[in-house]
Amino acid sequence: MVTELRQELARASAMLDVRRFREASELLARVVAAEPESSRAWCLMARAHLGADRYADAVTAARRAVALDPADEWPHRLASNALVHLGKFADALRAAYEACKLAPGYWQTHVCVAQAALAAQRFDIATEAASRARGLAPNEPDVHFLSGKVSLARGDLTEAREHQERALALDPAHSGAMNELGRIRLRRHDTAGAIRHFISAARATPDERIYSRNIDVVLLRTVSRTIYLFTLIALILIWVPAVTHVDRLPFVIGLGVLAVVTVGCFAWMVLRLPREARLMVRRTLRAPRVASALALAVGGVAVAFGIVAFTPASDLAQVLPVAVVITVAARLAAFAALRAAARRH
């Protein structure tokens, strides 16, 4: 019976390693029904629930394992992980501390404390725990990955990059480190570089949806910034005829130059991206909400410019506020459409 239990648990563990969470949950449900006193079975059940994003069930399974084997640190770590996802950061930190107390020589317990502290924005605790984990396992990729996340949260971009590069040197397929390097690039306002790292992470772990979502969010942010700059410059140009009393022809030329420069800058950024990313850009621009946002911004500016261009000079003072309101309203409507698109990701 003991041998059979071990075989079933080994099968379940193998399923979890390849992210077959539903099948593992079904197998483990039969195991715990037959052997409800197996702490390891409940730990694996908690891990299956975590993989399937069933965090409340993961906490329940982990606590069942704690009750069966209070001296084991693993169920405390599993509970801490699930509690972080549930937003119960204080409880997650307590569970992590308990795991660390039971196994202070395991680097995993210190990483657990750092993760919970990072979620709770206790950066001092997270920094200390990450340092202890590095002392115990200086050649473990996940330790440097977590240390880099802590450094990024503290705003130390150089140290964060060094840790993530160290993690990749130890494990070239570490998709988490690739993703974090993308986040660091974003903080340095290098959109093209960030997308390259996010694409690498998505290629390394296709089943991890967060990496592809990061690409979409970055593209939406880029479109949003383009619209912001376009409408801001348009607002400035609208005042040119009234302030300088220039002829309408230079005014129209200014609108054309603005449109060409905006499209050119966006195209230049897109051309710097890998081919795969350029396909994503086209897909993003064709999305209904994004296309609507672009149409609102361009249409609003065109209407405002038309009003100013065809209004006699003597009446400009009366129509300028209308043109400004139209431009601002177009920008706000475009941003609302983009926010709706971002919420989907």
Side-chain angles (χ1 to χ4, degrees), residues 2 4 36 57 71 101 113 131 141-142 191 195 198 203 208 213 226 236 238 264 284-285 300 306 314 318 339:
V2 174
E4 184 179 345
D57 292 336
K101 177 182 175 182
V113 171
S131 178
D142 284 342
T191 302
I195 290 177
F198 291 146
R203 287 171 178 166
E208 190 61 60
R213 287 200 299 265
T226 302
I236 297 172
I238 284 172
T284 299
L285 294 178
S314 58
Q318 287 75 34
R339 280 196 295 270

Side-chain angles (χ1 to χ4, degrees), residues 150-161:
V150 173
S151 297
L152 182 60
R154 291 190 292 107
D156 191 337
L157 302 186
T158 300
E159 186 176 287
R161 179 178 56 81

Side-chain angles (χ1 to χ4, degrees), residues 5-76:
L5 173 63
R6 288 177 179 172
Q7 290 174 344
E8 293 291 278
L9 293 180
R11 283 181 57 205
S13 182
M15 289 177 183
L16 293 173
D17 288 340
V18 295
R19 304 177 65 84
R20 292 163 57 187
F21 301 119
R22 183 181 61 81
E23 297 172 59
S25 296
E26 293 172 355
L27 173 59
L28 289 165
R30 295 193 296 270
V31 171
V32 296
E35 296 290 337
E37 304 302 312
S38 172
S39 173
R40 178 170 171 76
W42 284 107
C43 283
L44 290 173
M45 179 67 85
R47 186 181 162 197
H49 287 316
L50 275 170
D53 299 339
R54 296 188 296 266
Y55 303 120
D57 292 336
V59 172
T60 300
R63 286 176 174 167
R64 184 70 180 268
V66 169
L68 291 169
D69 189 358
D72 186 4
E73 52 81 31
W74 190 21
H76 293 285

Side-chain angles (χ1 to χ4, degrees), residues 36-262:
E37 304 302 312
S38 172
S39 173
R40 178 170 171 76
W42 284 107
C43 283
L44 290 173
M45 179 67 85
R47 186 181 162 197
H49 287 316
L50 275 170
D53 299 339
R54 296 188 296 266
Y55 303 120
D57 292 336
V59 172
T60 300
R63 286 176 174 167
R64 184 70 180 268
V66 169
L68 291 169
D69 189 358
D72 186 4
E73 52 81 31
W74 190 21
H76 293 285
R77 285 195 288 119
L78 292 166
S80 178
N81 194 343
L83 288 165
V84 164
H85 286 286
L86 291 172
K88 299 180 179 180
F89 304 130
D91 292 339
L93 196 53
R94 279 194 290 271
Y97 272 135
E98 186 61 29
C100 199
K101 177 182 175 182
L102 291 169
Y106 285 11
W107 62 265
Q108 293 93 332
T109 61
H110 296 284
V111 164
C112 185
V113 171
Q115 288 174 329
L118 189 59
Q121 297 190 340
R122 297 291 302 275
F123 300 140
D124 53 338
I125 297 175
T127 300
E128 182 181 357
S131 178
R132 290 180 178 176
R134 290 197 306 275
L136 290 169
N139 294 320
E140 174 56 49
D142 284 342
V143 169
H144 289 280
F145 165 65
L146 190 279
S147 297
K149 292 185 69 173
V150 173
S151 297
L152 182 60
R154 291 190 292 107
D156 191 337
L157 302 186
T158 300
E159 186 176 287
R161 179 178 56 81
E162 289 173 352
H163 281 303
Q164 300 304 346
E165 289 177 347
R166 175 61 176 160
L168 280 176
L170 294 167
D171 179 7
H174 200 298
S175 57
M178 299 175 193
N179 184 69
E180 288 301 304
L181 285 171
R183 293 181 62 211
I184 294 167
R185 292 275 190 173
L186 271 185
R187 293 282 287 272
R188 295 187 184 278
H189 308 291
D190 180 4
T191 302
I195 290 177
R196 288 193 188 95
H197 284 299
F198 291 146
I199 288 176
S200 297
R203 287 171 178 166
T205 312
D207 294 334
E208 190 61 60
R209 292 170 295 174
I210 185 64
Y211 303 144
S212 59
R213 287 200 299 265
N214 282 346
I215 299 170
D216 291 328
V217 170
V218 171
L219 294 177
L220 289 172
R221 180 187 296 183
T222 303
V223 172
S224 177
R225 288 177 175 174
T226 302
I227 289 174
Y228 176 81
L229 290 174
F230 175 71
T231 54
L232 178 63
I233 297 173
L235 278 172
I236 297 172
L237 288 177
I238 284 172
W239 289 91
V240 170
V243 175
T244 63
H245 305 290
V246 299
D247 188 67
R248 295 299 187 273
L249 181 59
F251 179 64
V252 173
I253 292 174
L255 173 60
V257 170
L258 171 62
V260 170
V261 169
T262 302

